[in-house]
């Protein structure tokens, strides 16, 4: 019985993550467009580079810290189209990273 519950929980979680990733796709496309057309200020680009560096080091807590710093320090209208999507990706990445190390 507990095996069935565990499998159901796993499937539910996978569907939930898949749904979140589908939502994030549009937000990441918005970021790509803004970067392509140079509609992102230098401070935002620097914060995004900090996030990328932390992810390269697999330091999800540091990446979330940089995300929060970006959200607090930059013009919200500049980042509102994509910043929530980045947060979701960071959270999912952190969860998956933690699961793989236990």
């Amino acid at each position: 019985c507990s095996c069935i519950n565990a499998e159901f929980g796993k499937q539910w979680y996978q569907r939930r993550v898949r749904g979140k990733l589908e939502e994030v796709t549009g937000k990441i496309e918005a970021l790509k467009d803004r970067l392509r057309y140079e509609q992102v200020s230098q401070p935002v680009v620097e914060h995004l580079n900090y996030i990328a560096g932390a992810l390269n080091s697999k330091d999800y807590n540091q990446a979330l810290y940089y995300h929060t710093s970006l959200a607090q320090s930059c013009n919200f209208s500049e980042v509102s189209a994509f910043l929530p999507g980045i947060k979701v990706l960071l959270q999912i990445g952190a969860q998956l990273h933690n699961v793989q190390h236990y």
Side-chain angles (χ1 to χ4, degrees), residues 12-85:
W12 175 84
Y13 178 76
Q14 289 173 343
R15 282 193 302 270
R16 183 172 171 214
V17 168
R18 193 174 306 122
K20 284 186 175 193
L21 290 175
E22 289 172 4
E23 291 175 20
V24 167
T25 299
K27 295 183 185 314
I28 298 304
E29 289 296 324
L31 172 58
K32 285 174 33 181
D33 289 342
R34 287 178 183 247
L35 289 170
R36 182 180 307 117
Y37 298 114
E38 298 179 6
Q39 297 173 332
V40 181
S41 68
Q42 189 60 36
V44 171
V45 172
E46 288 173 6
H47 274 86
L48 293 172
N49 282 324
Y50 296 152
I51 292 169
L55 291 174
N56 282 333
S57 300
K58 295 182 177 42
D59 189 344
Y60 292 93
N61 288 330
Q62 190 67 32
L64 284 166
Y65 169 80
Y66 289 134
H67 173 276
T68 301
S69 176
L70 175 59
Q72 293 174 347
S73 65
C74 293
N75 182 349
F76 183 73
S77 64
E78 182 180 4
V79 298
S80 63
F82 59 84
L83 203 55

Side-chain angles (χ1 to χ4, degrees), residues 84-95:
I86 291 174
K87 183 173 185 177
V88 169
L89 287 177
L90 294 174
Q91 290 171 330
I92 291 171
Q95 290 171 351

